[in-house]
Amino acid sequence: MTDPHVAGHEQEVAGRPSTGLLSRINAPVARLGMYLSVTGLLVIVTIVFYQVFGRYVLNSSPTWTENLALVLILYVTLIGAAVGVRDAGHIGMDSLLVMLPDHLREKIEIVIHVLVAVFGIAMAYNGWILGASVGTVKIPNLGLPEVIRYVPLIASGILIVSFSIEHIIALLRGEEVVPSWN
């Protein structure tokens, strides 16, 4: 049996779901990012299976599989990490924040999201600089420009900034960002 005082407090702490414009944009973007990451992971498994099959069954290992799998890993992990920022799936110190008074906890959460946004800006900026420095180089065995390795870094940085701003706005309004997988 649930204590009505505890249940009421949990609802008060959770806040109402965020319905702002940024949440309406970010939720489907995060969901798409999650679907693309899962699809990319399945493609990586298929590529690695094909490489192993080629090496041990056909005695002719394809040369492009390893480089393509490495590029896809960048997309899967970086886009997945950005979605983790929005859906609060990243490592956090919630156990310490829960012990703080509400007014102090909210301020610290805002500072955390600002710092995460600054990190996202640094990711996007440095990804842009690194990508521009290798723009004419080709990836061996794929023939694709090396810059495609830096596209997920830039995209992830931009998404992290957007998702962090969404969290800050929701905190200031007393709302909660609903995870995109709900």
Side-chain angles (χ1 to χ4, degrees), residues 4-168:
H5 299 291
V6 173
H9 178 67
E10 287 174 354
Q11 286 178 346
E12 186 179 302
V13 170
R16 63 186 186 279
S18 179
T19 57
L21 175 64
L22 197 55
S23 290
R24 290 194 308 268
I25 293 170
N26 282 348
V29 168
R31 197 172 302 114
L32 176 65
M34 190 172 12
Y35 289 144
L36 290 175
S37 291
V38 169
T39 302
L41 188 58
L42 294 173
V43 171
I44 291 169
V45 169
T46 303
I47 289 170
V48 171
F49 176 79
Y50 177 66
Q51 182 180 20
V52 170
F53 180 80
R55 179 178 296 147
Y56 293 108
V57 176
L58 302 177
N59 289 327
S60 176
S61 181
T63 58
W64 54 269
T65 53
E66 183 177 353
N67 281 333
L68 184 57
L70 289 173
V71 168
L72 288 174
I73 284 172
L74 294 171
Y75 281 83
V76 167
T77 56
L78 289 168
I79 301 302
V83 172
V85 167
R86 182 182 188 276
D87 292 349
H90 56 286
I91 296 173
M93 298 293 222
D94 289 341
S95 57
L96 295 176
L97 287 177
V98 174
M99 295 187 301
L100 297 174
D102 287 344
H103 68 282
L104 187 58
R105 182 179 64 241
E106 290 172 4
K107 289 177 182 171
I108 291 176
E109 286 179 3
I110 289 172
V111 169
I112 290 169
H113 288 295
V114 167
L115 292 174
V116 170
V118 168
F119 179 75
I121 291 168
M123 283 177 61
Y125 174 76
N126 288 306
W128 183 270
I129 298 298
L130 290 170
S133 71
V134 295
T136 60
V137 179
K138 299 283 186 190
I139 298 175
N141 299 326
L142 290 180
L144 298 172
E146 186 74 32
V147 73
I148 68 167
R149 293 184 195 263
Y150 299 97
V151 170
L153 185 62
I154 297 166
S156 179
I158 291 168
L159 289 174
I160 286 172
V161 170
S162 179
F163 297 157
S164 295
I165 291 170
E166 177 187 9
H167 277 282
I168 292 167

